[in-house]
Amino acid sequence: MAAQPDFDRRVLLRGGLAASAAGAIGLSTAGTANAAQTGARAAQPRIYSTAQWGARSPSSPIVVLDHRPTYIVIHHTADANSRDYSLAHAKKICRAIQRYHMDHNGWSDSGQQFTNTRGGYRLEGRHRSLSAVRDGGRHVQGANVGGYNSKVIGIENEGIYSKVNVPKALWNSLVPLVAWIADQYGTRMKNIRGHRDFNSTECPGDVLYKRLKELREDVSRELGLAPPPELLTWPLLRPGAIGPQVRAAQHLLRAKGFSAVPVDGFFGTATKQAVATLADAHGIERHTCSATHHSLVDETGYLGSDIWPLITPTAQASGNGDVADAVSTLLSAGGDKAASTGALAPSDWQRLLA
């Protein structure tokens, strides 16, 4: 493995007296305070700029918004897990992503703001992203999360993490990068998310997605914050899946008028078609988890975070036909009984589906 890139160890501190006062009034509680308010500042790690990896010029002006992004979103490139951990390879990856995004997708530049590689190198993605984060009050709008690009800053992690774990070098470079961005923007720890928390996509891979709790904890530790609480999320169901979550989804789809959907607990063709039709009817973009052309997975009909809110009603489930049957299915599978009383909020459904 190539030698790991060094960190810029500049010590950036804000007054200790302010830190003590912030702690005294509870501002250091996880998920509620800018790390800067605690007096702890994350140093900027080594990040290679677009000029340093040989980026093409954008095809149109970069949009720079005069506000901070709300979320830091973790992706994987869904590319092959290369054993080339060199800086030269890292730069080549960035050029390939930009070429695909511009020439195939028709975008003005790379869609993500930053790229993190298996060799532990961090690189700027879309032009001007690095200067915007350094500014701390501006946001370069990218193209990596459908419907949320004015609110998110995306980090592509080289590789595919559906079944295998991330290399240690990648993790050790990801944590300080996220910590620095979170510190600059005052990002709440609960807003360090995965792509699938916004769109029905497998990205950033089942394995990496399951490690996001650990990422939030590691970033919190870097910033001197208490560990954030467990987050409620929507499950991702894919064609071929089986089990009570699928059966419950089928009941809920039937309640929305898709009477041709069977209730057999198998995510088959009819269920996939119903989900795809529902997504089209509500103008939800179809997404793939690939940053480059190397992933050919068709994610049409995936049922995730942008579909569940469309089929989970807030009305009481009692006596409500298929909705009541969906709740009963989830309770029988061990869902949270406390979440089944009275009107059902989104968080109640998430607890039932957990």
Side-chain angles (χ1 to χ4, degrees):
M1 178 180 293
Q4 298 307 302
D6 58 329
F7 291 95
D8 179 353
R9 293 296 186 186
R10 292 173 298 157
V11 179
L12 302 175
L13 298 174
R14 289 183 179 175
L17 181 59
S20 298
I25 61 176
L27 288 179
S28 62
T29 301
T32 62
N34 180 350
Q37 291 176 305
T38 70
R41 288 297 304 269
Q44 180 194 315
R46 180 70 169 93
I47 300 171
Y48 293 86
S49 68
T50 50
Q52 290 173 314
W53 57 260
R56 290 158 54 180
S57 296
S59 61
S60 61
I62 296 297
V63 176
V64 182
L65 304 173
D66 288 325
H67 64 76
R68 298 174 174 184
T70 303
Y71 303 96
I72 299 172
V73 179
I74 306 302
H75 302 265
H76 69 173
T77 65
D79 207 348
N81 289 327
S82 173
R83 293 183 179 275
D84 187 342
Y85 305 116
S86 67
L87 176 58
H89 174 75
K91 293 180 178 182
K92 180 180 179 181
I93 285 290
C94 285
R95 290 193 293 269
I97 291 174
Q98 186 193 41
R99 182 168 57 250
Y100 184 71
H101 284 179
M102 294 180 71
D103 298 345
H104 182 272
N105 292 353
W107 298 345
S108 63
D109 198 359
S110 299
Q112 78 286 0
Q113 284 85 356
F114 293 96
T115 303
N116 184 42
T117 73
R118 289 171 59 81
Y121 293 99
R122 293 162 292 254
L123 305 96
E124 183 180 27
R126 181 160 289 208
H127 284 78
R128 302 182 65 182
S129 297
L130 188 52
S131 62
V133 179
R134 284 172 176 162
D135 175 85
R138 297 183 301 154
H139 169 47
V140 166
Q141 182 168 298
N144 56 87
V145 177
Y148 290 88
N149 284 307
S150 66
K151 299 180 180 180
V152 307
I153 183 165
I155 302 172
E156 286 286 359
N157 291 278
E158 179 201 357
I160 182 165
Y161 301 107
S162 302
K163 297 180 180 179
V164 300
N165 209 344
V166 300
K168 185 176 180 180
L170 183 147
W171 188 262
N172 289 344
S173 59
L174 178 62
V175 172
L177 174 59
V178 174
W180 175 64
I181 295 171
D183 186 52
Q184 289 295 106
Y185 284 136
T187 309
R188 294 171 179 241
M189 293 299 100
K190 69 177 184 179
N191 290 339
I192 299 171
R193 297 289 189 131
H195 187 181
R196 71 170 65 177
D197 288 322
F198 301 89
N199 304 138
S200 291
T201 174
E202 203 251 332
C203 184
D206 290 347
V207 177
L208 180 51
Y209 184 75
K210 289 177 181 177
R211 293 194 67 182
L212 293 187
K213 178 179 182 292
E214 181 185 352
L215 178 62
R216 288 185 285 267
E217 291 172 347
D218 285 357
V219 170
S220 296
R221 190 176 302 111
E222 288 265 330
L223 298 178
L225 301 172
E230 189 77 39
L231 298 182
L232 292 172
T233 58
W234 296 106
L236 177 68
L237 301 182
R238 290 159 276 202
I242 59 173
Q245 289 181 332
V246 175
R247 184 180 293 273
Q250 290 170 329
H251 277 300
L252 293 170
L253 286 166
R254 290 175 65 87
K256 295 294 290 185
F258 294 97
S259 57
V261 173
V263 182
D264 57 5
F266 172 70
F267 200 131
T269 302
T271 303
K272 175 182 177 179
Q273 184 58 51
V275 172
T277 300
L278 186 66
D280 287 343
H282 287 267
I284 294 175
E285 300 176 45
R286 297 182 182 180
H287 290 269
T288 63
C289 63
S290 64
T292 69
H293 64 282
H294 299 292
S295 176
L296 302 176
V297 177
D298 179 14
E299 296 186 328
T300 302
Y302 279 29
L303 199 169
S305 57
D306 49 8
I307 302 296
W308 283 110
L310 302 178
I311 63 175
T312 48
T314 56
Q316 286 185 290
S318 179
N320 199 2
D322 273 301
V323 176
D325 290 339
V327 171
S328 177
T329 296
L330 295 171
L331 288 174
S332 297
D336 187 345
K337 291 185 179 180
S340 66
T341 61
L344 296 169
S347 58
D348 296 317
W349 283 106
Q350 288 172 327
R351 290 188 183 95
L352 284 165
L353 287 160

